[in-house]
Coordinates of all heavy atoms in Angstrom, one line a residue:
M1 N -12.5 -20.1 5.7 CA -11.4 -19.5 4.9 C -10.8 -18.3 5.6 O -11.6 -17.4 5.9 CB -11.8 -19.2 3.5 CG -10.7 -18.8 2.6 SD -11.3 -18.4 0.9 CE -11.7 -20.0 0.3
N2 N -9.5 -18.2 5.9 CA -9.0 -17.1 6.6 C -8.6 -16.0 5.5 O -8.6 -16.2 4.3 CB -7.8 -17.4 7.5 CG -6.6 -18.0 6.8 OD1 -6.4 -17.6 5.6 ND2 -5.9 -18.8 7.4
I3 N -8.1 -14.8 6.0 CA -7.8 -13.7 5.1 C -6.7 -14.0 4.2 O -6.7 -13.6 3.0 CB -7.5 -12.4 6.0 CG1 -7.4 -11.2 5.1 CG2 -6.3 -12.6 6.8 CD1 -8.6 -10.7 4.4
D4 N -5.7 -14.8 4.7 CA -4.6 -15.1 3.8 C -5.0 -16.0 2.6 O -4.6 -15.9 1.5 CB -3.5 -15.8 4.6 CG -2.7 -14.8 5.5 OD1 -2.7 -13.6 5.1 OD2 -2.2 -15.3 6.5
D5 N -5.9 -17.0 2.9 CA -6.5 -17.8 1.9 C -7.2 -17.0 0.8 O -7.1 -17.2 -0.4 CB -7.4 -18.9 2.5 CG -6.7 -19.9 3.3 OD1 -5.5 -20.1 3.0 OD2 -7.3 -20.5 4.2
K6 N -8.0 -16.0 1.3 CA -8.8 -15.2 0.4 C -7.9 -14.3 -0.4 O -8.1 -14.1 -1.6 CB -9.7 -14.3 1.2 CG -10.9 -15.1 1.8 CD -11.9 -14.2 2.5 CE -13.0 -15.0 3.1 NZ -14.0 -14.2 3.8
L7 N -6.8 -13.8 0.2 CA -5.9 -13.0 -0.6 C -5.2 -13.8 -1.7 O -4.9 -13.3 -2.8 CB -4.9 -12.3 0.3 CG -5.4 -11.2 1.3 CD1 -4.3 -10.8 2.2 CD2 -5.9 -10.0 0.5
N8 N -4.9 -15.0 -1.4 CA -4.3 -15.9 -2.4 C -5.1 -16.2 -3.6 O -4.6 -16.7 -4.6 CB -3.8 -17.2 -1.7 CG -2.6 -17.0 -0.8 OD1 -1.8 -16.1 -1.1 ND2 -2.5 -17.9 0.1
K9 N -6.4 -15.9 -3.5 CA -7.3 -16.2 -4.6 C -7.4 -15.0 -5.6 O -8.0 -15.1 -6.7 CB -8.7 -16.5 -4.1 CG -8.8 -17.9 -3.5 CD -10.3 -18.2 -3.1 CE -10.4 -19.7 -2.9 NZ -11.0 -20.4 -4.0
L10 N -6.9 -13.9 -5.2 CA -6.9 -12.7 -6.1 C -5.9 -12.8 -7.2 O -4.9 -13.4 -7.1 CB -6.6 -11.4 -5.3 CG -7.6 -11.2 -4.1 CD1 -7.1 -9.9 -3.3 CD2 -9.0 -10.9 -4.6
K11 N -6.3 -12.1 -8.4 CA -5.4 -12.0 -9.5 C -4.7 -10.7 -9.6 O -5.4 -9.6 -9.4 CB -6.1 -12.3 -10.8 CG -6.5 -13.8 -10.9 CD -7.1 -14.0 -12.3 CE -7.5 -15.5 -12.5 NZ -8.3 -15.7 -13.7
Y12 N -3.5 -10.6 -9.8 CA -2.7 -9.3 -10.0 C -2.1 -9.2 -11.3 O -1.5 -10.2 -11.8 CB -1.7 -9.2 -8.9 CG -2.2 -9.2 -7.5 CD1 -2.3 -10.4 -6.8 CD2 -2.4 -8.0 -6.8 CE1 -2.8 -10.4 -5.4 CE2 -2.9 -8.0 -5.5 CZ -3.1 -9.2 -4.8 OH -3.5 -9.1 -3.5
N13 N -2.2 -8.1 -11.9 CA -1.5 -7.7 -13.1 C -0.7 -6.5 -12.8 O -1.1 -5.4 -12.9 CB -2.4 -7.5 -14.3 CG -1.7 -7.2 -15.6 OD1 -0.5 -7.3 -15.7 ND2 -2.4 -6.7 -16.6
C14 N 0.6 -6.7 -12.3 CA 1.3 -5.6 -11.7 C 1.8 -4.6 -12.7 O 2.3 -5.0 -13.8 CB 2.5 -6.2 -10.9 SG 2.0 -7.3 -9.6
D15 N 1.7 -3.4 -12.3 CA 2.4 -2.3 -13.1 C 3.9 -2.3 -12.8 O 4.3 -3.0 -11.8 CB 1.7 -1.0 -12.7 CG 1.9 0.1 -13.7 OD1 2.7 -0.1 -14.6 OD2 1.3 1.2 -13.6
T16 N 4.6 -1.7 -13.6 CA 6.1 -1.6 -13.4 C 6.5 -0.5 -12.5 O 7.7 -0.4 -12.0 CB 6.9 -1.5 -14.7 OG1 6.3 -0.4 -15.4 CG2 6.7 -2.8 -15.5
V17 N 5.6 0.5 -12.2 CA 5.9 1.6 -11.3 C 4.8 1.6 -10.2 O 3.7 1.2 -10.4 CB 5.9 2.9 -12.0 CG1 7.0 3.0 -13.0 CG2 4.6 3.3 -12.7
S18 N 5.2 2.1 -9.1 CA 4.2 2.2 -8.0 C 3.2 3.2 -8.2 O 3.4 4.4 -8.6 CB 5.0 2.5 -6.7 OG 4.1 2.6 -5.6
H19 N 1.9 2.9 -7.9 CA 0.8 3.8 -7.9 C 0.6 4.5 -6.5 O -0.3 5.3 -6.3 CB -0.5 3.1 -8.3 CG -0.9 2.0 -7.4 ND1 -0.2 0.8 -7.4 CD2 -1.9 1.9 -6.6 CE1 -0.8 0.0 -6.5 NE2 -1.9 0.7 -6.0
L20 N 1.5 4.1 -5.5 CA 1.4 4.6 -4.2 C 2.7 5.3 -3.9 O 3.8 4.7 -3.9 CB 1.2 3.4 -3.2 CG 0.1 2.4 -3.5 CD1 0.2 1.2 -2.6 CD2 -1.3 3.1 -3.3
N21 N 2.6 6.6 -3.6 CA 3.9 7.4 -3.5 C 3.8 8.3 -2.2 O 3.3 9.4 -2.3 CB 4.1 8.2 -4.7 CG 4.4 7.3 -5.9 OD1 5.5 6.7 -6.0 ND2 3.5 7.3 -6.9
P22 N 4.3 7.7 -1.1 CA 4.4 8.5 0.1 C 5.5 9.6 0.0 O 6.4 9.4 -0.8 CB 4.7 7.5 1.2 CG 5.3 6.4 0.5 CD 4.8 6.4 -0.9
C23 N 5.3 10.6 0.8 CA 6.3 11.7 0.9 C 7.4 11.3 1.9 O 7.1 11.1 3.1 CB 5.7 13.0 1.3 SG 6.8 14.3 1.7
A24 N 8.6 11.0 1.4 CA 9.7 10.5 2.3 C 9.9 11.4 3.5 O 10.1 10.9 4.6 CB 10.9 10.3 1.5
A25 N 9.9 12.7 3.3 CA 10.2 13.6 4.4 C 9.1 13.5 5.5 O 9.3 13.5 6.7 CB 10.3 15.0 3.9
D26 N 7.8 13.5 5.0 CA 6.7 13.4 5.9 C 6.7 12.0 6.7 O 6.4 12.0 7.9 CB 5.4 13.5 5.2 CG 5.1 15.0 4.9 OD1 5.8 15.9 5.4 OD2 4.1 15.2 4.2
C27 N 7.1 11.0 6.0 CA 7.1 9.7 6.6 C 8.1 9.6 7.8 O 7.9 9.0 8.8 CB 7.4 8.6 5.6 SG 6.0 8.3 4.4
K28 N 9.2 10.3 7.6 CA 10.3 10.4 8.6 C 9.7 11.0 9.9 O 10.0 10.7 11.0 CB 11.5 11.1 8.2 CG 12.4 10.2 7.3 CD 13.6 11.0 6.8 CE 14.4 10.1 5.8 NZ 15.3 10.9 5.0
E29 N 8.9 12.0 9.7 CA 8.3 12.8 10.8 C 7.0 12.2 11.4 O 6.6 12.6 12.5 CB 8.0 14.2 10.3 CG 9.2 15.0 9.8 CD 10.2 15.2 10.9 OE1 9.8 15.5 12.1 OE2 11.4 15.1 10.6
C30 N 6.4 11.3 10.6 CA 5.2 10.7 11.0 C 5.3 9.9 12.3 O 6.2 9.0 12.4 CB 4.7 9.8 9.9 SG 3.1 8.9 10.2
K31 N 4.4 10.2 13.3 CA 4.5 9.5 14.6 C 3.8 8.1 14.6 O 4.3 7.1 15.1 CB 4.0 10.3 15.7 CG 4.8 11.5 16.0 CD 4.4 12.2 17.3 CE 5.3 13.3 17.7 NZ 5.6 14.3 16.7
S32 N 2.7 8.1 13.9 CA 1.9 6.9 14.0 C 2.3 5.7 13.1 O 2.1 4.6 13.4 CB 0.4 7.2 13.7 OG 0.2 7.6 12.4
K33 N 2.8 6.1 11.9 CA 3.0 5.1 10.8 C 1.8 4.3 10.6 O 1.8 3.0 10.4 CB 4.2 4.2 11.1 CG 5.5 5.0 11.5 CD 6.2 5.6 10.4 CE 7.6 6.1 10.7 NZ 7.7 7.3 11.5
I34 N 0.7 4.9 10.7 CA -0.6 4.2 10.7 C -0.9 3.4 9.4 O -1.6 2.4 9.5 CB -1.8 5.2 10.9 CG1 -3.1 4.5 11.1 CG2 -1.9 6.2 9.7 CD1 -3.2 3.9 12.5
C35 N -0.2 3.8 8.3 CA -0.4 3.0 7.1 C 0.1 1.6 7.3 O -0.4 0.6 6.7 CB 0.3 3.7 5.9 SG 2.1 3.9 6.2
T36 N 1.1 1.4 8.1 CA 1.7 0.0 8.3 C 0.8 -0.8 9.1 O 0.9 -2.0 9.2 CB 3.1 0.1 9.0 OG1 2.9 0.6 10.3 CG2 4.0 1.0 8.2
I37 N -0.2 -0.2 9.8 CA -1.1 -0.9 10.7 C -2.4 -1.2 9.9 O -3.0 -2.3 10.0 CB -1.4 -0.2 12.0 CG1 -0.1 0.0 12.7 CG2 -2.4 -0.8 12.8 CD1 -0.2 1.1 13.8
I38 N -2.9 -0.2 9.2 CA -4.3 -0.2 8.6 C -4.3 -1.1 7.4 O -5.4 -1.6 7.1 CB -4.8 1.2 8.3 CG1 -6.3 1.3 8.3 CG2 -4.2 1.8 7.1 CD1 -7.0 1.3 9.6
C39 N -3.3 -1.2 6.6 CA -3.4 -1.8 5.3 C -3.7 -3.3 5.5 O -2.9 -4.1 6.1 CB -2.1 -1.7 4.6 SG -2.1 -2.6 3.0
P40 N -4.7 -3.8 4.9 CA -5.1 -5.2 5.0 C -4.2 -6.2 4.2 O -4.2 -7.4 4.4 CB -6.5 -5.3 4.4 CG -6.6 -4.1 3.4 CD -5.7 -3.1 4.0
A41 N -3.4 -5.6 3.3 CA -2.5 -6.4 2.5 C -1.0 -6.3 2.9 O -0.1 -6.7 2.2 CB -2.7 -6.1 1.0
S42 N -0.7 -5.6 4.0 CA 0.6 -5.4 4.5 C 1.6 -4.8 3.5 O 2.7 -5.2 3.3 CB 1.2 -6.7 5.0 OG 0.4 -7.3 6.0
V43 N 1.0 -3.8 2.8 CA 1.8 -3.2 1.7 C 3.0 -2.3 2.3 O 4.0 -2.3 1.7 CB 0.9 -2.3 0.8 CG1 1.7 -1.4 -0.1 CG2 0.0 -3.2 0.0
Y44 N 2.7 -1.7 3.4 CA 3.7 -0.8 4.0 C 4.5 -1.4 5.1 O 4.0 -2.0 6.0 CB 3.0 0.5 4.5 CG 2.3 1.2 3.4 CD1 0.9 1.1 3.4 CD2 2.9 2.0 2.5 CE1 0.1 1.7 2.4 CE2 2.2 2.7 1.5 CZ 0.8 2.5 1.5 OH 0.1 3.2 0.5
E45 N 5.8 -1.2 5.1 CA 6.7 -1.6 6.2 C 7.6 -0.4 6.5 O 8.2 0.2 5.5 CB 7.6 -2.8 5.8 CG 6.8 -4.0 5.4 CD 7.8 -5.1 4.8 OE1 8.8 -5.4 5.4 OE2 7.5 -5.5 3.7
W46 N 7.8 -0.2 7.7 CA 8.8 0.9 8.1 C 10.2 0.3 8.4 O 10.3 -0.6 9.2 CB 8.3 1.6 9.4 CG 9.3 2.7 9.8 CD1 10.0 2.7 11.0 CD2 9.5 3.9 9.1 NE1 10.8 3.8 11.0 CE2 10.5 4.6 9.9 CE3 9.1 4.5 7.9 CZ2 11.0 5.8 9.5 CZ3 9.6 5.7 7.5 CH2 10.6 6.4 8.3
D47 N 11.1 0.8 7.6 CA 12.5 0.4 7.7 C 13.2 1.4 8.7 O 13.6 2.5 8.3 CB 13.2 0.4 6.3 CG 14.7 0.0 6.4 OD1 15.2 0.0 7.5 OD2 15.2 -0.2 5.3
E48 N 13.3 1.0 9.9 CA 13.9 1.9 11.0 C 15.3 2.2 10.7 O 15.8 3.3 10.9 CB 13.7 1.3 12.3 CG 14.2 2.2 13.5 CD 13.4 3.5 13.6 OE1 12.2 3.5 13.3 OE2 14.0 4.5 13.9
E49 N 16.1 1.2 10.3 CA 17.5 1.4 10.0 C 17.8 2.5 9.0 O 18.6 3.4 9.2 CB 18.2 0.1 9.6 CG 19.7 0.2 9.5 CD 20.3 -1.1 9.1 OE1 19.6 -2.2 9.2 OE2 21.4 -1.1 8.7
N50 N 17.0 2.5 7.9 CA 17.2 3.5 6.8 C 16.2 4.6 6.9 O 16.2 5.5 6.0 CB 17.1 2.8 5.5 CG 18.2 1.8 5.3 OD1 19.4 2.1 5.4 ND2 17.9 0.5 5.0
R51 N 15.3 4.5 7.9 CA 14.3 5.5 8.1 C 13.5 5.8 6.8 O 13.4 7.0 6.3 CB 14.9 6.8 8.7 CG 15.6 6.6 10.0 CD 15.7 7.7 11.0 NE 14.7 8.8 11.0 CZ 13.6 8.7 11.7 NH1 13.3 7.6 12.3 NH2 12.7 9.7 11.6
K52 N 13.0 4.7 6.3 CA 12.3 4.8 5.0 C 11.1 3.9 5.0 O 11.1 2.8 5.6 CB 13.3 4.4 4.0 CG 12.8 4.4 2.6 CD 13.9 3.9 1.6 CE 13.3 3.8 0.2 NZ 14.2 3.2 -0.7
L53 N 10.0 4.3 4.4 CA 8.8 3.5 4.2 C 9.0 2.6 3.0 O 9.2 3.1 1.9 CB 7.6 4.4 4.1 CG 6.3 3.7 4.2 CD1 6.0 3.1 5.6 CD2 5.1 4.6 3.8
I54 N 8.9 1.3 3.2 CA 9.0 0.4 2.1 C 7.5 0.1 1.6 O 6.6 0.0 2.4 CB 9.6 -1.0 2.5 CG1 11.0 -0.7 3.0 CG2 9.5 -2.0 1.4 CD1 11.6 -1.9 3.7
V55 N 7.3 0.2 0.3 CA 6.0 0.1 -0.3 C 5.9 -1.1 -1.2 O 6.5 -1.0 -2.4 CB 5.6 1.4 -1.1 CG1 4.2 1.3 -1.6 CG2 5.8 2.6 -0.2
N56 N 5.3 -2.1 -0.8 CA 5.1 -3.3 -1.6 C 3.8 -3.2 -2.5 O 2.8 -3.9 -2.2 CB 5.1 -4.6 -0.7 CG 6.3 -4.7 0.1 OD1 7.4 -4.8 -0.4 ND2 6.2 -4.8 1.4
Y57 N 3.9 -2.2 -3.4 CA 2.7 -1.8 -4.1 C 2.0 -3.0 -4.9 O 0.8 -2.9 -5.2 CB 3.0 -0.6 -5.0 CG 3.8 -1.0 -6.3 CD1 3.2 -1.4 -7.4 CD2 5.2 -1.0 -6.2 CE1 3.9 -1.7 -8.6 CE2 5.9 -1.3 -7.3 CZ 5.3 -1.7 -8.5 OH 6.0 -2.1 -9.6
E58 N 2.8 -4.0 -5.2 CA 2.3 -5.1 -6.0 C 1.2 -5.8 -5.3 O 0.3 -6.5 -6.0 CB 3.4 -6.1 -6.3 CG 4.6 -5.5 -7.1 CD 5.7 -5.0 -6.2 OE1 5.4 -4.7 -5.0 OE2 6.8 -4.8 -6.7
N59 N 1.1 -5.7 -4.0 CA 0.1 -6.5 -3.2 C -1.1 -5.6 -2.9 O -2.0 -6.1 -2.2 CB 0.7 -6.9 -1.9 CG 1.9 -7.8 -2.0 OD1 2.0 -8.6 -3.1 ND2 2.8 -7.8 -1.1
C60 N -1.2 -4.4 -3.4 CA -2.3 -3.5 -3.1 C -3.6 -4.0 -3.6 O -3.8 -4.4 -4.7 CB -2.0 -2.1 -3.7 SG -3.3 -0.9 -3.4
L61 N -4.6 -3.8 -2.7 CA -6.0 -4.2 -3.0 C -6.9 -3.1 -3.5 O -8.0 -3.2 -3.7 CB -6.7 -4.8 -1.7 CG -6.0 -6.0 -1.1 CD1 -6.6 -6.4 0.2 CD2 -6.0 -7.2 -2.1
E62 N -6.2 -1.9 -3.5 CA -6.9 -0.7 -4.0 C -8.1 -0.3 -3.2 O -9.1 0.2 -3.8 CB -7.2 -0.8 -5.5 CG -6.0 -1.0 -6.4 CD -6.3 -1.5 -7.8 OE1 -7.3 -1.1 -8.3 OE2 -5.4 -2.2 -8.4
C63 N -8.0 -0.5 -1.9 CA -9.2 -0.1 -1.0 C -9.2 1.4 -0.7 O -10.2 1.9 -0.3 CB -9.1 -1.0 0.2 SG -7.8 -0.5 1.4
G64 N -8.1 2.0 -0.8 CA -8.0 3.5 -0.5 C -7.9 3.9 1.0 O -7.8 5.0 1.3
A65 N -7.8 2.9 1.9 CA -7.7 3.2 3.3 C -6.5 4.0 3.7 O -6.6 4.9 4.5 CB -7.8 1.9 4.1
C66 N -5.4 3.7 3.1 CA -4.1 4.4 3.4 C -4.2 5.8 3.0 O -3.6 6.7 3.7 CB -2.9 3.7 2.8 SG -3.1 3.5 1.0
K67 N -4.8 6.2 1.9 CA -4.9 7.6 1.5 C -5.7 8.3 2.5 O -5.4 9.5 2.9 CB -5.5 7.6 0.1 CG -5.7 9.0 -0.4 CD -6.4 9.1 -1.7 CE -6.5 10.5 -2.2 NZ -7.2 10.6 -3.5
I68 N -6.8 7.7 3.0 CA -7.7 8.4 3.9 C -7.0 8.6 5.2 O -7.1 9.7 5.9 CB -9.0 7.6 4.0 CG1 -9.8 7.6 2.7 CG2 -9.9 8.2 5.2 CD1 -10.9 6.6 2.7
I69 N -6.3 7.6 5.7 CA -5.8 7.6 7.1 C -4.5 8.2 7.2 O -4.0 8.5 8.4 CB -5.8 6.1 7.6 CG1 -5.9 6.1 9.1 CG2 -4.6 5.3 7.1 CD1 -7.2 6.1 9.7
C70 N -3.7 8.4 6.2 CA -2.4 8.9 6.2 C -2.3 10.1 7.2 O -3.0 11.1 7.0 CB -1.9 9.4 4.9 SG -0.2 10.1 4.9
E71 N -1.4 10.0 8.2 CA -1.3 11.0 9.2 C -1.0 12.4 8.7 O -1.5 13.4 9.1 CB -0.2 10.6 10.2 CG 0.0 11.6 11.4 CD 1.1 11.2 12.3 OE1 1.0 10.1 12.9 OE2 2.1 11.9 12.5
K72 N -0.1 12.5 7.6 CA 0.3 13.7 7.1 C -0.6 14.2 5.9 O -0.3 15.2 5.3 CB 1.8 13.7 6.7 CG 2.7 13.3 7.8 CD 2.9 14.4 8.7 CE 4.0 14.2 9.7 NZ 4.2 15.3 10.7
K73 N -1.5 13.3 5.5 CA -2.3 13.6 4.3 C -1.5 13.9 3.1 O -1.8 14.7 2.2 CB -3.3 14.8 4.5 CG -4.2 14.6 5.7 CD -5.2 13.5 5.5 CE -6.1 13.3 6.7 NZ -6.5 11.9 7.0
S74 N -0.4 13.2 3.0 CA 0.6 13.5 1.9 C 0.9 12.3 1.0 O 1.7 12.3 0.1 CB 1.9 14.0 2.5 OG 2.5 13.0 3.3
L75 N 0.1 11.2 1.2 CA 0.3 10.0 0.4 C -0.3 10.2 -1.0 O -1.5 10.4 -1.1 CB -0.3 8.8 1.1 CG -0.3 7.5 0.4 CD1 1.2 7.0 0.0 CD2 -0.9 6.4 1.2
K76 N 0.5 10.2 -2.0 CA -0.1 10.3 -3.4 C -0.6 8.9 -3.8 O 0.2 8.0 -3.8 CB 1.0 10.8 -4.4 CG 1.3 12.3 -4.2 CD 2.2 12.8 -5.2 CE 2.6 14.2 -4.9 NZ 3.9 14.5 -5.6
W77 N -1.8 8.9 -4.1 CA -2.5 7.6 -4.4 C -3.2 7.7 -5.8 O -4.0 8.6 -6.0 CB -3.5 7.3 -3.3 CG -4.1 6.0 -3.2 CD1 -3.8 5.1 -2.2 CD2 -5.1 5.3 -4.0 NE1 -4.5 3.9 -2.4 CE2 -5.3 4.0 -3.5 CE3 -5.8 5.7 -5.1 CZ2 -6.2 3.2 -4.0 CZ3 -6.7 4.8 -5.7 CH2 -6.9 3.6 -5.2
D78 N -2.9 6.8 -6.6 CA -3.6 6.6 -7.9 C -3.9 5.2 -8.1 O -3.3 4.3 -7.5 CB -2.7 7.1 -9.1 CG -2.4 8.6 -9.0 OD1 -3.3 9.4 -9.2 OD2 -1.2 8.9 -8.8
Y79 N -4.8 4.9 -9.1 CA -5.0 3.5 -9.5 C -3.8 3.2 -10.4 O -3.2 4.0 -11.1 CB -6.3 3.4 -10.3 CG -7.6 3.4 -9.4 CD1 -8.4 4.5 -9.4 CD2 -7.9 2.3 -8.6 CE1 -9.5 4.5 -8.5 CE2 -9.0 2.3 -7.8 CZ -9.8 3.4 -7.8 OH -10.9 3.4 -7.0
P80 N -3.5 1.9 -10.4 CA -2.4 1.4 -11.4 C -2.8 1.8 -12.8 O -4.0 1.9 -13.1 CB -2.4 -0.1 -11.2 CG -3.0 -0.3 -9.8 CD -4.0 0.8 -9.6
R81 N -1.8 2.0 -13.6 CA -2.1 2.5 -15.0 C -2.7 1.4 -15.9 O -2.4 0.2 -15.7 CB -0.7 2.9 -15.6 CG 0.0 4.0 -14.9 CD 1.3 4.3 -15.4 NE 2.1 3.1 -15.4 CZ 3.3 2.9 -16.0 NH1 3.8 4.0 -16.6 NH2 4.0 1.8 -16.0
N82 N -3.4 1.8 -16.9 CA -3.9 0.9 -18.0 C -4.7 -0.3 -17.4 O -4.5 -1.4 -18.0 CB -2.8 0.4 -18.8 CG -2.0 1.6 -19.4 OD1 -2.6 2.6 -19.8 ND2 -0.7 1.5 -19.4
G83 N -5.5 -0.1 -16.4 CA -6.3 -1.2 -15.9 C -5.5 -2.3 -15.2 O -6.1 -3.4 -14.9
K84 N -4.3 -2.0 -14.9 CA -3.5 -3.0 -14.1 C -3.9 -3.0 -12.7 O -4.7 -2.3 -12.2 CB -2.0 -2.8 -14.3 CG -1.6 -3.0 -15.8 CD -0.1 -3.0 -15.9 CE 0.2 -3.4 -17.4 NZ 1.6 -3.4 -17.6
G85 N -3.3 -3.9 -11.9 CA -3.6 -4.0 -10.5 C -4.3 -5.3 -10.2 O -4.3 -6.3 -10.9
V86 N -5.1 -5.2 -9.1 CA -5.8 -6.4 -8.6 C -7.1 -6.6 -9.4 O -7.8 -5.6 -9.8 CB -6.0 -6.2 -7.1 CG1 -7.1 -5.2 -6.8 CG2 -6.5 -7.6 -6.5
T87 N -7.5 -7.9 -9.5 CA -8.8 -8.2 -10.1 C -9.5 -9.1 -9.0 O -9.0 -10.0 -8.5 CB -8.6 -9.1 -11.3 OG1 -7.9 -8.3 -12.3 CG2 -10.0 -9.5 -11.9
F88 N -10.8 -8.6 -8.7 CA -11.6 -9.3 -7.8 C -12.6 -10.2 -8.5 O -13.1 -9.8 -9.5 CB -12.4 -8.4 -6.9 CG -11.5 -7.5 -6.0 CD1 -11.1 -6.3 -6.4 CD2 -11.1 -8.0 -4.8 CE1 -10.3 -5.5 -5.7 CE2 -10.2 -7.2 -4.0 CZ -9.8 -6.0 -4.4
K89 N -12.8 -11.4 -8.0 CA -13.7 -12.3 -8.7 C -14.9 -12.5 -7.8 O -14.8 -12.8 -6.6 CB -13.0 -13.7 -8.9 CG -13.8 -14.6 -9.8 CD -12.9 -15.8 -10.2 CE -13.0 -16.8 -9.0 NZ -12.4 -18.1 -9.3
L90 N -16.2 -12.4 -8.3 CA -17.3 -12.7 -7.5 C -17.5 -14.2 -7.3 O -17.2 -15.0 -8.2 CB -18.6 -12.1 -8.2 CG -18.6 -10.5 -8.3 CD1 -19.8 -10.1 -9.1 CD2 -18.6 -9.9 -6.9
G91 N -18.1 -14.5 -6.2 CA -18.5 -15.9 -5.9 C -17.3 -16.7 -5.3 O -16.3 -16.3 -5.0
Ligands
SF4_101 S1 0.8 7.4 7.5 FE1 1.4 8.7 5.8 S2 3.1 10.0 6.5 FE2 2.8 8.3 8.0 S3 4.3 6.7 7.3 FE3 2.3 6.3 6.3 S4 2.4 7.3 4.3 FE4 4.0 8.2 5.6
SF4_102 S1 -5.1 1.0 -0.9 FE1 -5.6 -0.5 0.7 S2 -4.5 -2.3 0.2 FE2 -3.6 -0.7 -1.1 S3 -1.9 0.0 0.2 FE3 -3.7 1.3 0.7 S4 -4.6 0.3 2.5 FE4 -3.2 -1.2 1.5

């Protein structure tokens, strides 16, 4: 089973607002855009035309890697509200 098959088995109860909030000004200055590389769920995409980070927060696995690795240490990261977000199933 590849990673895409595994991701398709997860359940999501999406919040209506993003729990991931990057600083737009810092993202413009960020050289690495490392969040777009490190995220296992491809949550982040850099829109070069509009010089803006797109955040597909609905796909987040809540692993926390982007918060740790953010080049500017300015990514505001919370869990989704009221127990929403991803659900992992054992087995
Ligand atoms: S690594 Fe941090 S500063 Fe850089 S683009 Fe991602 S969220 Fe923005
Ligand atoms: S917490 Fe993990 S899955 Fe969610 S956006 Fe950050 S790196 Fe991606």
